[in-house]
Amino acid sequence: MLRPALWCLAYLGLVCLPLALSWLMAFPARSIRNELASGLGLLAFAIILVEFVLSGRFRTLSNTLGLDITIRFHQLIGRAALAFALLHPFLYDFLPGPERPWDTSRELTVTTDFWALLPGILAFVLLPAFVLASIHRDALGYRYERWRILHGFGALLIVGLLLLHAEAAGRYSEEPPLIWTWRILTGLAVLALIYVYVLKPIYQARHGWRVSRIERLTPRQWDLRITPEGHAGVSFQAGQFVWLNVGHSPFSLNENPFSISSAPTDDPEIGFVIKELGDFTGALDQVSVGDRAYIDSAYGSLTIEGRTEPDVVLIAGGVGIAPMLSILRKMTLEQDARNAVLIYGNRTADQIVFRDELDALQGHGRAEVVHVLYEPEDGWRGETGYIDAALLDRVLGEGLFETGVFVLCGPPVMLSSVETALMTRGVPASRILMERFQYD
Ligand SMILES: Cc1cc2nc3c(=O)[nH]c(=O)nc-3n(C[C@H](O)[C@H](O)[C@H](O)COP(=O)(O)OP(=O)(O)OC[C@H]3O[C@@H](n4cnc5c(N)ncnc54)[C@H](O)[C@@H]3O)c2cc1C
């Protein structure tokens, strides 16, 4: 709990730093409206700059807070910054015209110089377009990779304009403490992009992998395995995911997040269960053994490592089984004494992956496995319907709600309904771990 709290404090400190510095300048006070206008502008710029490290690609951060939370925060706080930025010019209550020589600290006037305002005006137009394009990414029909590059470099353009605007038109930002704060923060934002788009790919190029197995498991799911080339592989915790790139240059941005389905062992080969969905996943039939692959790893906090609860309840919908397989396989290998229950939902029985392996776990008393189908074929004797509150009550004894750690992965609808059911049964958020496979 301490580390997330420290990150939150560091975040607040960073975005409030320009406000604190402008307050320390102790300029003659202006009307509340003018101070609010400047304050919102300063806050918006600082929030936008810190957004660069909230992209989910900084492991220390996203593994501590969780990828879902990091990305959701990035999205929501970005919208708040947009609102602050749009509001700030309209709040100024100023004397129009050029700067007055007698008003050296700009107590009564705000610059109306066109060239000082131009970068701000451009950013004012671009920022809403940028946020709207991010919110409606799917509707725009861009390939994900193209959207990513537009998002990164669009953000850089906006930040450049905001820097010019702050230095040319800002009352506080034209003073050295703030000028240098903005320059250093902008420099860090640029470094964040260089780290993700240049340094990471260079590292990946030197630590390549090869596809060692590609096999269809069910009509739309694949077992893909990769093995390291000339290095020791990757260290990860069961339940984590990597950014995987198969068959493209490490600099190409063609990488997608996939949970590792194998357990961390001495064998450096790692495996994935991948469901066909779009460009990359829909073309897995063209991947061959020997193809080059690259990974950026290991991310995610969907792991029971270090947890002390005596019961582990894994709830998976569809391909959400991938991280659960890794967790179960590790528990089996280590002969983990904890009691494990897997609730695994699918539409039909032919979508169940690694059924024999799961049945063997059940057979050996390693885990209780409950299959749930919502379109069962005639003769199906297992559970039917959706994984919901009624099913949890039926399958889990009351005691598990009090003692278990719950690990959830699957479609968003399932995640929300199971989370609500668990919380209404008194399971605290600290005992519910979740991962969404898609962020909007
Ligand atoms: C943490 C995490 C773990 C995942 N684990 C698995 C798994 O184990 N097995 C599995 O089958 N699927 C997993 N997914 C989902 C998987 O990443 C997408 O299905 C895949 O990226 C789709 O790519 P595509 O090119 O086939 O489809 P596209 O049509 O290009 O994308 C479809 C949707 O997938 C998402 N997506 C695509 N590319 C990316 C990207 N680079 N970054 C983030 N999201 C992207 C976007 O929401 C996009 O709208 C996981 C997703 C996340 C976020």
Side-chain angles (χ1 to χ4, degrees):
M1 262 350 255
L2 187 65
R3 283 183 69 202
L6 287 178
W7 276 115
C8 293
L9 277 180
Y11 178 82
L12 281 176
L14 214 50
V15 296
C16 293
L17 179 67
L19 282 179
L21 289 174
S22 55
W23 180 69
L24 288 174
M25 285 170 200
F27 280 180
R30 300 179 301 176
S31 70
I32 296 270
R33 270 185 67 168
N34 278 341
E35 294 299 357
L36 192 62
S38 294
L40 287 180
L42 296 174
L43 202 53
F45 190 16
I47 290 175
I48 291 169
L49 284 168
V50 183
E51 286 285 81
F52 283 76
V53 290
L54 294 174
S55 61
R57 297 308 289 261
F58 291 84
R59 261 201 304 273
T60 326
L61 188 61
S62 57
N63 287 4
T64 307
L65 300 177
L67 183 73
D68 291 357
I69 294 177
T70 312
I71 296 291
R72 198 69 190 135
F73 185 73
H74 174 90
Q75 293 168 336
L76 294 180
I77 201 72
R79 290 170 207 181
L82 171 68
F84 296 163
L86 293 187
L87 198 57
H88 109 105
F90 295 109
L91 287 178
Y92 281 114
D93 171 20
F94 57 85
L95 291 177
E99 283 179 32
R100 275 58 167 188
W102 40 266
D103 186 24
T104 48
S105 69
R106 302 240 209 113
E107 193 179 337
L108 299 172
T109 54
V110 171
T111 185
T112 48
D113 176 60
F114 177 72
W115 294 109
L117 292 180
L118 182 63
I121 295 169
L122 290 176
F124 188 88
V125 176
L126 280 178
L127 194 58
F130 178 84
V131 174
L132 282 175
S134 306
I135 295 173
H136 299 290
R137 166 169 62 83
D138 283 341
L140 289 175
Y142 280 119
R143 283 194 65 216
Y144 194 84
E145 293 72 29
R146 179 169 304 170
W147 176 82
R148 249 185 90 193
I149 197 118
L150 284 176
H151 194 68
F153 289 96
L156 201 56
L157 173 66
I158 289 171
V159 158
L161 291 170
L162 291 177
L163 181 66
L164 290 176
H165 172 62
E167 290 197 10
R171 182 199 198 206
Y172 301 105
S173 297
E174 66 174 14
E175 298 297 316
L178 261 189
I179 290 184
W180 283 105
T181 304
W182 292 133
R183 287 180 186 171
I184 290 170
L185 288 180
T186 305
L188 291 176
V190 173
L191 277 181
L193 281 188
I194 293 177
Y195 175 68
V196 172
Y197 292 118
V198 182
L199 298 183
K200 272 177 188 263
I202 288 176
Y203 178 84
Q204 287 168 31
R206 292 181 179 169
H207 295 81
W209 296 68
R210 292 261 175 213
V211 172
S212 48
R213 181 187 173 105
I214 175 81
E215 198 177 292
R216 202 182 273 280
L217 289 171
T218 69
R220 290 187 54 209
Q221 291 174 103
W222 293 79
D223 178 18
L224 172 73
R225 298 191 201 169
I226 57 173
T227 193
E229 252 198 344
H231 59 96
V234 59
S235 96
F236 65 96
Q237 297 179 356
Q240 287 193 303
F241 72 94
V242 305
W243 295 82
L244 174 69
N245 163 348
V246 180
H248 296 277
S249 149
F251 295 92
S252 74
L253 299 189
N254 281 289
E255 48 175 11
N256 304 64
F258 294 105
S259 302
I260 302 175
S261 58
S262 49
T265 60
D266 292 340
D267 182 354
E269 180 184 69
I270 55 174
F272 307 92
V273 175
I274 300 184
K275 182 175 175 187
E276 291 177 7
L277 186 74
D279 298 337
F280 167 63
T281 53
L284 283 170
D285 54 353
Q286 286 157 40
V287 170
S288 314
V289 168
D291 282 358
R292 264 206 160 256
Y294 302 96
I295 62 167
D296 178 16
S297 66
Y299 289 85
S301 48
L302 194 77
T303 162
I304 57 166
E305 220 117 304
R307 307 285 312 201
T308 50
E309 291 85 354
D311 304 296
V312 178
V313 183
L314 308 168
I315 304 177
V319 76
I321 191 67
M324 311 303 181
L325 283 170
S326 179
I327 293 172
L328 276 174
R329 284 169 171 162
K330 179 169 189 252
M331 290 180 80
T332 309
L333 279 171
E334 294 184 346
Q335 306 201 334
D336 195 313
R338 283 175 287 186
N339 170 36
V341 181
L342 169 69
I343 302 178
Y344 178 22
N346 279 291
R347 193 161 55 80
T348 52
D350 66 356
Q351 294 178 337
I352 300 173
V353 295
F354 295 108
R355 188 165 180 183
D356 293 344
E357 183 182 339
L358 293 174
D359 288 348
L361 289 181
Q362 165 116 322
H364 293 117
R366 290 251 162 259
E368 184 189 341
V369 180
V370 180
H371 291 289
V372 188
L373 298 183
Y374 59 91
E375 279 178 22
E377 293 80 3
D378 290 343
W380 172 255
R381 293 212 305 270
E383 289 287 343
T384 56
Y386 292 100
I387 303 180
D388 55 14
L391 181 118
L392 295 181
D393 286 338
R394 217 170 35 248
V395 169
L396 305 173
E398 230 173 70
L400 283 184
F401 294 119
E402 279 160 30
T403 55
V405 54
F406 291 80
V407 188
L408 280 47
C409 190
V413 187
M414 184 207 97
L415 292 184
S416 336
S417 100
V418 172
E419 186 189 25
T420 311
L422 292 175
M423 292 187 111
T424 51
R425 277 149 190 77
V427 181
S430 59
R431 279 200 281 118
I432 305 174
L433 313 176
M434 285 203 300
E435 189 158 82
R436 278 154 41 107
F437 274 4
Q438 190 181 4
Y439 17 94
D440 43 30

